[in-house]
Amino acid sequence: MATFFGEVVVAPSRAGLDEEEEAREETPEDREIRREIEKKREVEVLWSCAEELLVCSRFVVAIGRNAAAFLSSFILDSVCWEVVGVVKLWNEWCRTSSTTNVLPTDSFCLFYRLISDPTVLLCQCSCYVAEDQQFQWLEKVFGSMQKKGLQVTILSTCPVADYKTQESTLTLVSPFLKALKTKEFQEQVCCPLLEQPNIVRDLPAA
């Protein structure tokens, strides 16, 4: 039953289900297939530097094609950055190389270090990170970094149609910039804060 007008309610259905299928237990072959898929979906982070923990003061992460393109056009378009790492992923929408090379050229997620200040890192993540891979991504990327005094900035985009506001989205000047911040961030924010009930999803939210 709907709790408010316009709520989408999906009615339960038993169509296409046999009692035998419901009662069927997982076979050893099923378990092996599931293990192989889980192994294939593991997130792998490879670094070119030999340091155990990267000393990092600022870490900028661009998530999604638009944010990654912005990073390429306005920040990385100079010779003062060097590629220092890569994330390898395999899921429904992303297939990175199976090579063991530290910096595969066909990767969709690369890490750059500022040559003049090696404590500044950028990450260009233009690939899709599935829900079951997001925690792994965070754990392995941030597990490689010294977190004391680390400031993280995340850039991401979403369609204007998803933006919730009382005014018509047709009158909005697009594109526009909004920010979210944690209570630990004490510096001045460069743009207005994102209003409720708007939310951030997927890897940026994680």
Side-chain angles (χ1 to χ4, degrees):
M1 176 173 285
T3 56
F4 61 88
F5 178 76
E7 180 182 5
V8 177
V9 180
V10 180
S13 171
R14 293 179 54 82
L17 290 178
D18 292 331
E19 289 181 13
E20 289 178 14
E21 267 187 55
E22 288 181 342
R24 189 179 127 196
E25 291 184 14
E26 190 178 44
T27 65
E29 291 82 10
D30 292 337
R31 281 194 292 275
E32 182 63 27
I33 290 168
R34 185 168 44 81
R35 273 195 297 268
E36 285 298 316
I37 291 173
E38 285 173 359
K39 187 176 178 182
K40 200 167 187 179
R41 291 177 72 91
E42 281 183 11
V43 175
E44 192 175 358
V45 181
L46 302 171
W47 299 96
S48 62
C49 42
E51 304 164 43
E52 282 190 17
L53 276 181
L54 294 168
V55 178
C56 188
S57 61
R58 289 180 183 263
F59 184 38
V60 179
V61 188
I63 300 172
R65 292 175 188 268
N66 292 335
F70 174 84
L71 210 63
S72 288
S73 301
F74 296 100
I75 300 175
L76 289 170
D77 192 20
S78 67
V79 293
C80 56
W81 299 91
E82 62 178 343
V83 180
V84 292
V86 66
V87 173
K88 289 167 63 177
L89 284 174
W90 185 95
N91 58 44
E92 297 81 0
W93 301 102
C94 180
R95 305 280 195 276
T96 57
S97 172
S98 59
T99 180
T100 55
N101 185 3
V102 173
L103 305 172
T105 54
D106 61 342
S107 173
F108 302 104
C109 191
L110 290 171
F111 297 95
Y112 298 85
R113 181 163 57 187
L114 186 61
I115 294 171
S116 59
D117 183 358
T119 66
V120 177
L121 288 180
L122 299 181
C123 174
Q124 215 177 8
C125 184
S126 58
C127 63
Y128 170 73
V129 181
E131 282 187 16
D132 63 314
Q133 295 175 315
Q134 290 169 11
F135 179 73
Q136 280 188 68
W137 195 98
L138 293 168
E139 190 178 45
K140 293 186 177 180
V141 169
F142 284 99
S144 309
M145 296 180 186
Q146 186 177 314
K147 297 172 195 66
K148 188 175 181 181
L150 174 61
Q151 180 182 312
V152 181
T153 303
I154 298 169
L155 305 172
S156 68
T157 58
C158 70
V160 176
D162 291 348
Y163 180 63
K164 296 171 180 64
T165 177
Q166 291 185 346
E167 61 181 294
S168 170
T169 53
L170 297 174
T171 62
L172 289 171
V173 178
S174 181
F176 57 89
L177 190 64
K178 299 282 181 173
L180 286 175
K181 68 181 187 72
T182 60
K183 60 185 177 185
E184 284 79 17
F185 185 79
Q186 300 299 326
E187 297 177 27
Q188 188 168 351
V189 181
C190 64
C191 61
L193 294 175
L194 186 67
E195 310 90 337
Q196 292 182 346
N198 292 288
I199 60 171
V200 178
R201 297 181 176 86
D202 302 321
L203 187 58

